[in-house]
Amino acid sequence: MWRAITLALLLAIPAIPATAEMNTTAKRLYLLEQKALGRAGSAHLSQLVTPASLDMGTGAKSISYSNDWLARQPRAQGGPEWRCLSEALYFEARGETAKGLFGVAEVILNRVDSPRYPNSVCAVINQGTGRKFACQFTYTCDGHPEHINEPAAWDRVGKVAKLMLEGGPRTLTQGATFYHTTAVRPSWAKKFRKTAKIGVHLFYRR
């Protein structure tokens, strides 16, 4: 880090010609330094002092919300947060299109970023679990055991979870922190602004 800062400062200083007053050793060091700085260039300096952009390969900047594109992505795996998000997508929306899966993932991650909710994926998903009518995601308190019996669907939602946790864009739901299926009409839906409809899900924000 200090090396990068020093290099930045040196590049900002106009070059001073070597003079006869310099002793031989100082002159040699001076010329070597000027030669090195000349090679640095502004692009190289930018790489030193600016954090590298997210390189996801198949990542956020190249996401296509199509089933075919998602099927071509490499199988994903990850830690606890990835597991929690994958499970939520599996039990809440595995029958949806790729776009629908990304929409549900957006809601969960928007909640993580909101001060109104816990600040981790697992905590958001399990908020209220175990309290009747208090859970935020139905599958966590519907009384049914959670078994993953569809490997292909699990593989699919895992890809979405990884892409979103690695910085995937959240442009589908316009900041939504709520959603429900078209099969139900929760009373809270009247209080919030509907931002999107994707497949069988309606999305809302405060």
Side-chain angles (χ1 to χ4, degrees):
M1 177 180 177
W2 289 112
R3 182 182 177 186
I5 293 172
T6 301
L7 183 57
L9 292 173
L10 287 170
L11 283 179
I13 300 173
I16 302 172
T19 65
E21 287 75 20
M22 290 183 177
N23 61 40
T24 304
T25 301
K27 187 181 294 185
R28 185 179 300 139
L29 290 173
Y30 173 85
L31 293 174
L32 286 173
E33 179 182 72
Q34 291 301 310
K35 186 176 181 181
L37 289 174
R39 288 197 304 264
S42 59
H44 180 60
L45 176 61
S46 177
Q47 291 176 0
L48 288 173
V49 299
T50 306
S53 60
L54 183 64
D55 181 10
M56 296 170 54
T58 57
K61 294 182 180 180
S62 60
I63 283 180
S64 174
Y65 301 112
S66 74
N67 294 327
D68 289 342
W69 179 86
L70 188 59
R72 293 194 299 271
Q73 304 316 300
R75 182 169 295 176
Q77 59 183 357
E81 296 284 274
W82 171 82
R83 177 82 187 189
C84 286
L85 184 54
S86 296
E87 287 181 354
L89 296 176
Y90 180 88
F91 292 112
E92 292 277 308
R94 67 181 179 275
E96 274 281 29
T97 62
K99 190 174 183 180
L101 289 173
F102 280 104
V104 172
E106 281 188 29
V107 168
I108 294 169
L109 294 177
N110 287 341
R111 286 194 174 197
V112 173
D113 289 346
S114 170
R116 296 176 181 270
Y117 300 94
N119 61 2
S120 76
V121 172
C122 293
V124 161
I125 291 169
N126 292 298
Q127 186 178 19
T129 298
R131 292 155 46 206
K132 192 173 183 180
F133 305 125
C135 62
Q136 300 295 302
F137 295 87
T138 307
Y139 82 94
T140 67
C141 62
D142 61 6
H144 301 301
E146 282 75 55
H147 297 304
I148 298 170
N149 300 318
E150 300 176 35
W154 175 252
D155 180 61
R156 188 165 172 262
V157 300
K159 295 176 183 179
V160 174
K162 185 172 180 64
L163 287 165
M164 293 303 289
L165 287 171
E166 289 184 337
R170 302 183 209 168
T171 57
L172 296 174
T173 65
Q174 300 179 50
T177 50
F178 298 84
Y179 70 88
H180 66 80
T181 71
T182 53
V184 298
R185 293 184 179 180
S187 59
W188 55 257
K190 299 176 182 178
K191 304 175 184 178
F192 305 133
R193 177 187 171 188
K194 184 167 72 174
T195 62
K197 179 182 183 299
I198 305 174
V200 299
H201 285 105
L202 299 174
F203 297 84
Y204 303 79
R205 72 166 183 249
R206 290 180 186 273

